[in-house]
Amino acid sequence: LTVISLSDVEAAARRLDGVAHRTPIVTSRTLDRLTGATVAIKPENLQRAGAFKFRGAYATISSLSRAERTRGVAAYSSGNHAQAVALAASLLGSHAVILMPADTPPVKVEATRGYGAEVVFYDRYTEDREALGLALADERGLMLVPPYDDLRVMAGQGTVALELLADVPELDVLVAPVGGGGLIAGCATVVRALRPGARIVGVEPEAGDDTRRSLAAGGRISIEVPRTIADGLQATTPGRLTFEVNATLVDEIVTVTDAQLVDAMRFAFERLKLVLEPSGAASLAAVLSGAFAAPGRRIGVVISGGNVGAARFAELINR
Amino acid sequence: LTVISLSDVEAAARRLDGVAHRTPIVTSRTLDRLTGATVAIKPENLQRAGAFKFRGAYATISSLSRAERTRGVAAYSSGNHAQAVALAASLLGSHAVILMPADTPPVKVEATRGYGAEVVFYDRYTEDREALGLALADERGLMLVPPYDDLRVMAGQGTVALELLADVPELDVLVAPVGGGGLIAGCATVVRALRPGARIVGVEPEAGDDTRRSLAAGGRISIEVPRTIADGLQATTPGRLTFEVNATLVDEIVTVTDAQLVDAMRFAFERLKLVLEPSGAASLAAVLSGAFAAPGRRIGVVISGGNVGAARFAELINR
């Protein structure tokens, strides 16, 4: 397997050193009691811009040449990738143009502009964001920063596992959410290299199990846009590169319902004192609900993000 | 000054080693930009049982003789001290009896019982909890664990500052909430010993400024039970021992309004992804509101706790 290697992730870690937050490990005896395991939470909701996405975006943009950075970067995203690219570009003296659906919540548009990015809207019901992104990049000479299907992005996301294994070297299982598959591909590369016997478990929303089905089918399949509150995990098909990695390295995909995501968000709020967005709660939901269980084992649970407004949080918890 | 010394806190730290969580340092560029300072947050909402109180309770109960521990411990509290004593007693093989007001929210009673404690109710409008606590302790041979006015408790709370200074040795200012004064007394002892030039700033709710007034008066004064959402900071008079320390070591007390506490809770939720209870947000509210400002300085902000239910949080944020 030669898509990315441990040394690519280590190189990304050097780029991120002193720039990305080195997120801590959070533990909870209550969680250990409920799961029968020893759980180490890696809370990337505490990462800059509120999600692991900053790692991949910064690792990618910092690897561009000075001339490329000066011309600027582009990305299409209504979510955490938008803010990650905007922040990373601003820190690196580059200019970011972000394609966002016209119906993106204003708070997300403002957050992205707050990091200095230019926002360009498109109609997500009639226009193809990938084609638009490529056209925009081409027309204005911008480098497109893909949300997951990119070697530098995957390597950046893998630094999550590098830190987790430095803090919990005896890890038995890694549990991580799967949207486009970049986070788990980078992390699985690290875990397989440093802790070959560990189990690698992905988590998808029940309605959005494109990677689970693709693995079962032995090739990438596409699904309808899934109806789930986990807006960061609404991919309809795995990435080409990420699937190549994940088909080889991921041992198992489990799924969680929206109700289980909300239960995990409430548990994180009340017991861990951490704010998780629905997608960010997927791994925790898997171990809390029993969708995945490994009694007696050391489980690393990757929390991917915490970008949810207080009002939206209250609405989800109360419904 | 000989109330407690750095070596008392260091001894408490040895007792807590491997038992209490060593909470991380959380930083936020947004917070630095808003305050003009370099802020290091010490998030004791991530401590066991959700508040710094576990440190003092465990340090105290672990210092009892085997015979004393076997007879059991008592405490009076409707808040974080109750759960801290219950958890610490259970970990140390002791039995805890907690006096709680009859109108304590059931969720707090259940949390305390969940740690194995026996709960005894009293009427807070007609009965004196201190007298009841002493009578109960006397009658059943229990050791009373005071919420703050105790040398071992203060030393335990001081371990917060020991960890903070280990991570941020060049600290210029420590900001901590003041209820009975145990947390800031322990922390001030450490900061004055290890970083003598640093400024020590306490924060009280505007309606509950008994320590500020006592310092101004040059002696302990009493106020009416303050009306504030900061239920952990509703002390009506400073502790005798804590005031002796704080009168010497605390440089300044600032106050914050309930609205500023809610703003800080919302900021922590949306930007830091941390859940703070109203009292726990006091220090953050002080630096965010400008009640305390120290441009260009390194400020340690102690978050004292995060025990607030999701429903109560939503109610506070939406009102």
Side-chain angles (χ1 to χ4, degrees):
Chain A
L1 179 82
T2 55
V3 178
I4 59 168
S5 66
L6 177 63
S7 62
D8 296 319
V9 181
E10 288 168 338
R14 287 191 292 273
R15 292 185 178 282
L16 292 171
D17 187 34
V19 183
H21 289 322
R22 192 187 194 295
T23 51
I25 296 295
V26 171
T27 60
S28 156
R29 266 68 167 198
T30 305
L31 184 55
D32 288 355
R33 199 181 63 238
L34 291 172
T35 59
T38 304
V39 178
I41 290 173
K42 182 69 172 169
E44 285 292 302
N45 57 327
L46 305 180
Q47 187 51 264
R48 294 185 76 170
F52 75 96
K53 290 281 188 182
F54 177 72
R55 297 175 184 261
Y58 190 92
T60 302
I61 300 172
S62 65
S63 74
L64 300 179
S65 71
R66 184 174 298 267
E68 288 171 324
R69 284 216 291 265
T70 304
R71 282 199 300 272
V73 298
Y76 42 84
S77 167
S78 59
N80 292 333
H81 183 58
Q83 292 172 51
V85 170
L87 173 58
S90 130
L91 292 171
L92 289 159
S94 188
H95 175 72
V97 182
I98 313 289
L99 263 174
M100 295 184 116
D103 57 354
T104 302
V107 61
K108 295 200 173 186
V109 176
E110 284 320 305
T112 305
R113 284 185 176 141
Y115 290 123
E118 175 187 345
V119 174
V120 173
F121 293 107
Y122 71 96
D123 181 340
R124 64 171 167 158
Y125 301 101
T126 61
E127 298 183 277
D128 173 354
R129 67 178 196 173
E130 291 192 42
L132 281 173
L134 287 169
L136 181 78
D138 188 50
E139 184 184 305
R140 296 177 55 172
L142 308 171
M143 287 295 293
L144 196 64
V145 183
Y148 47 83
D149 212 24
D150 181 279
L151 303 181
R152 297 155 306 179
V153 171
M154 279 190 269
Q157 321 304 31
T159 60
V160 171
L162 216 48
E163 293 175 9
L164 176 58
L165 280 175
D167 290 342
V168 188
E170 310 282 278
L171 199 76
D172 296 314
V173 185
L174 178 89
V175 183
V178 181
L183 173 62
I184 198 166
C187 288
T189 300
V190 171
V191 171
R192 199 53 87 226
L194 295 178
R195 186 81 181 152
R199 192 160 182 81
I200 296 163
V201 179
V203 185
E204 291 188 307
E206 194 175 57
D209 62 343
D210 54 298
T211 292
R212 190 177 66 83
R213 291 199 208 185
S214 297
L215 290 173
R220 295 160 67 214
I221 60 102
S222 286
I223 60 172
E224 293 288 295
V225 175
R227 288 180 179 274
T228 168
I229 59 171
D231 53 343
L233 305 178
Q234 285 181 309
T236 55
T237 188
R240 189 179 61 78
L241 295 167
T242 57
F243 187 72
E244 197 175 326
V245 176
N246 294 333
T248 313
L249 299 184
V250 171
D251 293 300
E252 183 182 355
I253 302 272
V254 299
T255 64
V256 291
T257 65
D258 280 4
Q260 289 167 340
L261 291 172
V262 171
D263 286 346
M265 289 171 74
R266 186 183 294 107
F267 180 90
F269 184 102
E270 297 195 336
R271 306 304 300 242
L272 309 178
K273 320 302 173 189
L274 293 176
V275 178
L276 314 190
E277 61 186 276
S279 307
S283 299
L284 183 61
V287 299
L288 268 178
S289 67
F292 175 76
R297 298 309 179 101
R298 287 181 210 82
I299 308 179
V301 166
V302 179
I303 298 296
S304 54
N307 288 324
V308 58
R312 171 66 175 155
F313 177 84
E315 184 187 304
L316 286 169
I317 290 292
N318 290 327
R319 74 178 182 179
Chain B
L1 179 83
T2 55
V3 179
I4 58 167
S5 66
L6 177 63
S7 62
D8 296 319
V9 181
E10 288 168 337
R14 287 190 293 273
R15 293 184 177 284
L16 292 171
D17 187 33
V19 182
H21 289 322
R22 192 185 195 297
T23 51
I25 297 294
V26 171
T27 60
S28 156
R29 265 70 165 198
T30 305
L31 184 55
D32 289 356
R33 198 180 64 237
L34 291 172
T35 60
T38 304
V39 178
I41 290 174
K42 182 69 172 168
E44 284 292 302
N45 57 326
L46 304 181
Q47 187 50 264
R48 293 185 76 168
F52 75 96
K53 292 281 187 182
F54 177 73
R55 296 176 184 262
Y58 190 92
T60 302
I61 300 172
S62 65
S63 74
L64 300 179
S65 70
R66 184 176 297 268
E68 288 170 325
R69 284 217 291 265
T70 304
R71 282 199 298 274
V73 297
Y76 42 84
S77 166
S78 59
N80 292 334
H81 183 58
Q83 292 172 52
V85 169
L87 173 58
S90 130
L91 292 171
L92 289 159
S94 188
H95 176 72
V97 182
I98 313 288
L99 263 172
M100 295 185 116
D103 57 355
T104 302
V107 60
K108 295 199 172 188
V109 177
E110 284 320 305
T112 306
R113 284 186 176 142
Y115 289 124
E118 175 186 344
V119 174
V120 174
F121 292 108
Y122 72 97
D123 181 340
R124 63 171 166 159
Y125 300 101
T126 62
E127 298 182 277
D128 173 354
R129 68 177 196 173
E130 291 193 39
L132 281 174
L134 287 169
L136 181 77
D138 188 50
E139 183 185 306
R140 296 177 54 173
L142 308 171
M143 287 295 292
L144 197 64
V145 184
Y148 47 84
D149 212 23
D150 181 280
L151 305 181
R152 297 157 303 181
V153 171
M154 278 189 272
Q157 320 304 30
T159 59
V160 170
L162 217 48
E163 293 175 8
L164 177 58
L165 280 175
D167 289 342
V168 188
E170 310 282 278
L171 200 75
D172 297 313
V173 185
L174 177 88
V175 184
V178 182
L183 173 62
I184 197 166
C187 288
T189 301
V190 171
V191 171
R192 200 53 86 227
L194 295 178
R195 187 81 181 154
R199 192 161 182 81
I200 296 163
V201 179
V203 185
E204 291 188 307
E206 195 175 56
D209 62 343
D210 54 298
T211 291
R212 191 176 67 82
R213 291 198 207 184
S214 297
L215 290 173
R220 295 160 66 213
I221 60 101
S222 286
I223 61 171
E224 293 286 295
V225 175
R227 286 180 181 274
T228 169
I229 57 170
D231 54 343
L233 304 177
Q234 285 181 309
T236 55
T237 188
R240 189 178 61 79
L241 296 166
T242 56
F243 187 72
E244 197 176 326
V245 177
N246 294 333
T248 312
L249 299 185
V250 172
D251 293 301
E252 183 183 354
I253 302 273
V254 300
T255 63
V256 290
T257 65
D258 281 4
Q260 289 167 339
L261 291 173
V262 171
D263 286 347
M265 289 171 73
R266 186 183 293 107
F267 180 90
F269 184 101
E270 296 194 335
R271 306 304 298 242
L272 308 178
K273 319 302 174 188
L274 293 177
V275 177
L276 314 190
E277 62 185 277
S279 307
S283 300
L284 182 62
V287 298
L288 268 179
S289 69
F292 175 78
R297 299 307 179 100
R298 286 180 211 84
I299 309 179
V301 166
V302 180
I303 298 297
S304 55
N307 288 323
V308 58
R312 171 68 174 153
F313 177 84
E315 184 187 304
L316 286 168
I317 290 292
N318 290 328
R319 75 179 183 180

